[in-house]
Amino acid sequence: MEYGFVDCHCHISAREFEEDLEDVIQRTREAGVKTLVAVTEEAREFDRVLQLQERYPDLVAPCFGIHPLQGGEGPAQRSVKPQELDAALPQFFKHRERLVTIGEIGLDFTPWCAPTQQDRDGQMDVFVKQLNIAKELDLPVNVHSRSAAKVVIATMREQGVSRALLHNFAGKLAVALEGVKAGFLFSFPPAVCRNQQRDKLIKQIPLEHICLETDSPALGLDKHVRNEPCNIVLSCRYIADVKGYENKKRKLQLHHKEAPTLTCVMYEDSSFCLETEEDTALQEEDKNTGIVQNGAHNLTETLLT
């Protein structure tokens, strides 16, 4: 039986990791992380994330996406322009066989980032085009939805998207439940441990619709300290505590189109382990060990490999 985590949304190609990447990867492996779903925000990151997959083929799962905000951090940050996606389009199709999802894409209607209707329209144009790319390539989407959760979920439903992860979700519960009805998944980074603001969301979203992420190097336990994929355990323990699973054992089956079924089991200490079909068959006699829940829309279909 193998223990492992999947960081379903991280920025391992970020410049913050360049100087000590080997140390970061070592800590990642030591923490039991088996897969890093490596999202991108700008086209200039595409080559970097592919290089990281070549360097760590058993760990890094590359994604291509154009984020709704461009220009880096701080006052230079602005809404994406449609031409920025247009210039990157050939790369999506050139490397389609290496991608596990389209992301990070979405909408960010934070007033200082998208002050005009033109800004919001530009974001929507880029978002919808990338949703269509995902459908054409038969890939899921990894989605940003700050100050736009209701519009993001409505747009994905209108566009016929059925496989989506809404990362670091902070929208209203009623909106989240609409996403649950659509089969979408939600993930939460270690930053949720800082306060209880999202406890209600975590409690009400069914476990089979929740995934783990770090969003590293951002959104760690301490906002002034670089976050790393090894901190995925913080998200796991906090979600388990909020849901009250300390004294229970629950199973969540997920599937990968090119691998045997794996079962993710949450134990009393809020740890996770992965079981293969063979492991599960050996335990078939004990039917009362947990509640098996089948996730119909498994994140990227590749998160547990």
Side-chain angles (χ1 to χ4, degrees), residues 76-141:
Q77 198 170 58
R78 56 169 176 75
S79 287
V80 66
K81 300 181 184 303
Q83 55 267 34
E84 290 172 305
L85 171 62
D86 295 340
L89 282 177
Q91 297 298 312
F92 287 84
F93 295 93
K94 179 180 178 180
H95 299 290
R96 61 191 299 171
E97 297 301 324
R98 300 178 64 179
L99 304 179
V100 301
T101 186
I102 301 300
E104 179 178 357
I105 67 174
L107 300 174
D108 192 318
F109 288 170
T110 309
W112 54 88
C113 297
T116 69
Q117 188 62 47
Q118 183 178 4
D119 290 325
R120 295 187 285 274
D121 289 345
Q123 286 191 27
M124 181 64 77
D125 181 74
V126 171
F127 182 40
V128 170
K129 284 182 178 177
Q130 291 185 100
L131 293 178
N132 288 329
I133 291 171
K135 289 189 293 182
E136 185 171 351
L137 299 183
D138 192 25
L139 291 173
V141 290

Side-chain angles (χ1 to χ4, degrees), residues 7 10 12 17 24 27-28 31 33 36 214 216 227-233:
D7 187 346
C10 70
I12 197 63
F17 292 127
V24 171
R27 288 190 289 271
T28 296
V33 179
L36 298 177
T214 63
S216 52
N227 191 18
E228 295 186 10
C230 64
N231 291 328
I232 195 81
V233 67

Side-chain angles (χ1 to χ4, degrees), residues 61-283:
C63 316
F64 282 4
I66 302 298
H67 194 277
L69 301 181
Q70 298 289 298
E73 301 294 331
Q77 198 170 58
R78 56 169 176 75
S79 287
V80 66
K81 300 181 184 303
Q83 55 267 34
E84 290 172 305
L85 171 62
D86 295 340
L89 282 177
Q91 297 298 312
F92 287 84
F93 295 93
K94 179 180 178 180
H95 299 290
R96 61 191 299 171
E97 297 301 324
R98 300 178 64 179
L99 304 179
V100 301
T101 186
I102 301 300
E104 179 178 357
I105 67 174
L107 300 174
D108 192 318
F109 288 170
T110 309
W112 54 88
C113 297
T116 69
Q117 188 62 47
Q118 183 178 4
D119 290 325
R120 295 187 285 274
D121 289 345
Q123 286 191 27
M124 181 64 77
D125 181 74
V126 171
F127 182 40
V128 170
K129 284 182 178 177
Q130 291 185 100
L131 293 178
N132 288 329
I133 291 171
K135 289 189 293 182
E136 185 171 351
L137 299 183
D138 192 25
L139 291 173
V141 290
N142 200 308
V143 182
H144 176 102
S145 58
R146 188 170 64 169
S147 300
K150 185 175 182 178
V151 179
V152 162
I153 288 175
T155 301
M156 291 195 294
R157 298 185 74 172
E158 290 167 3
Q159 295 297 318
V161 171
S162 60
R163 293 180 295 160
L165 169 78
L166 290 104
H167 103 94
N168 188 33
F169 188 80
K172 294 180 179 179
L173 176 59
V175 176
L177 295 179
E178 286 299 312
V180 169
K181 289 179 184 177
F184 301 154
L185 303 180
F186 301 81
S187 60
F188 301 94
V192 297
C193 304
R194 297 177 193 167
N195 53 57
Q196 299 177 328
Q197 290 181 356
R198 279 185 270 183
D199 284 11
K200 185 177 180 179
L201 273 173
I202 293 170
K203 285 179 181 177
Q204 296 298 320
I205 296 174
L207 179 63
E208 62 267 33
H209 288 268
I210 292 181
C211 293
L212 303 175
E213 67 158 295
T214 63
D215 200 21
S216 52
L219 297 185
L221 186 60
D222 185 336
K223 65 175 66 176
H224 302 296
V225 177
R226 182 187 69 177
N227 191 18
E228 295 186 10
C230 64
N231 291 328
I232 195 81
V233 67
L234 300 176
S235 296
C236 177
R237 288 173 178 165
Y238 189 79
I239 291 169
D241 289 344
V242 169
K243 282 193 164 292
Y245 293 154
E246 301 94 327
N247 299 313
K248 299 179 182 178
K249 174 182 173 182
R250 293 174 64 96
K251 291 186 177 181
L252 173 62
Q253 286 193 341
L254 298 105
H255 308 276
H256 177 9
K257 59 187 177 184
E258 296 177 355
T261 298
L262 295 171
T263 301
C264 185
V265 182
M266 181 181 287
Y267 285 106
E268 293 180 0
D269 62 354
S270 302
S271 64
F272 277 109
C273 78
L274 305 185
E275 298 175 352
T276 65
E277 285 179 319
E278 181 179 358
D279 295 325
T280 304
L282 292 175
Q283 300 174 16

